[in-house]
Amino acid sequence: MATLATLPDQPGNDQARTRAGIGRLRGFVTNLAELLDSTQDEREILESGAKLLSRLIAQDDWLPDAFAQAHPDRYQQYLLHCDSRERFSVVSFVWGPGQGTPIHDHRVWGLVGVLRGAEASERFVRQGDGTLRPTGTVDMLHAGAVEAVSPRVGDIHRVRNAVPDAPSISIHVYGANIGAVERATYDLDGRAKRFVSGYANDVVPNLWDRSNPS
């Protein structure tokens, strides 16, 4: 997975945002890689990773506009970084008004941090007969909130934009190259439909070019 591609042509304001804030994303990626070098314990990864993600999304001056664009018909999943060994990936999800996911799983650990707006996350559990039952609560995640998912802590949910008239953006971190993982969407009767999500963008931010101050 190439991580040294250049950014697409962008307006001057977005270039300034990238120069001023991309160091935050680079620091997050570096710190998360160091965390994964130090432990394989999922509980520790989720707890410590959530703290790192919380610090990243506490500032909203680093995400280039090219990776914050809503689509009129469907949510967008933009790759920001993929670890060279595919141990983790960092993705921005952009939700237009009224947009959301079907019920789906992840198959790996993940962290979701809301950068702008708000999201509603509804979890499901599988019953003995294979059907899916909602847990009965919808978690409202506002800017700054972080949620964890994994097969261990709960892996099946659906998400929607909780802001009726504006986009919302969340930063997702997964324990794999999530765009290449075979996963599934589900009906309430438990029937699964396999999918591989891919990504909406052709290039990723260049985190490692230090020719501009950051």
Side-chain angles (χ1 to χ4, degrees):
M1 179 64 62
T3 59
L4 297 181
T6 58
L7 286 167
D9 292 338
Q10 303 167 49
N13 287 344
D14 191 34
Q15 291 176 350
R17 173 186 287 267
T18 302
R19 287 195 297 270
I22 201 69
R24 298 190 194 281
L25 179 57
R26 183 171 60 240
F28 171 78
V29 165
T30 300
N31 290 335
L32 186 62
E34 291 173 349
L35 172 63
L36 296 181
D37 284 340
S38 69
T39 183
Q40 295 183 352
D41 181 76
E42 183 185 285
R43 189 183 304 275
E44 183 176 351
I45 291 170
L46 292 179
E47 290 179 357
S48 298
K51 294 176 182 177
L52 295 175
L53 183 56
S54 292
R55 288 202 295 268
L56 177 66
I57 63 174
Q59 301 290 332
D60 188 6
D61 64 354
W62 57 269
L63 182 66
D65 287 346
F67 309 100
Q69 298 301 310
H71 189 282
D73 299 325
R74 57 189 178 274
Y75 69 89
Q76 297 290 276
Q77 180 175 326
Y78 296 105
L79 177 65
L80 299 178
H81 178 77
C82 182
D83 175 66
S84 61
R85 286 180 277 167
E86 297 187 284
R87 296 176 301 168
F88 69 93
S89 52
V90 185
V91 184
S92 66
F93 275 69
V94 184
W95 316 86
Q99 292 176 356
T101 70
I103 303 170
H104 65 280
D105 63 14
H106 308 88
R107 310 289 173 93
V108 297
W109 63 259
L111 293 164
V112 178
V114 179
L115 182 68
R116 302 174 198 167
E119 295 177 6
S121 175
E122 184 179 15
R123 292 183 181 257
F124 294 80
V125 294
R126 189 178 297 281
Q127 305 200 101
D129 61 0
T131 61
L132 297 178
R133 175 180 59 81
T135 60
T137 60
V138 177
D139 295 323
M140 298 299 296
L141 307 176
H142 298 276
V146 175
E147 179 182 55
V149 296
S150 83
R152 180 179 64 85
V153 302
D155 192 45
I156 301 176
H157 72 172
R158 63 182 168 194
V159 181
R160 61 176 173 82
N161 186 357
V163 180
D165 56 358
S168 291
I169 299 177
S170 52
I171 306 302
H172 296 218
V173 185
Y174 295 105
N177 175 11
I178 196 64
V181 174
E182 183 177 280
R183 300 186 281 149
T185 61
Y186 296 95
D187 297 326
L188 286 174
D189 64 8
R191 285 182 296 180
K193 181 179 180 181
R194 302 286 182 173
F195 78 100
V196 177
S197 67
Y199 299 107
N201 53 323
D202 296 322
V203 297
V204 297
N206 185 348
L207 306 188
W208 313 113
D209 179 359
R210 293 182 173 86
S211 60
N212 291 309
S214 59

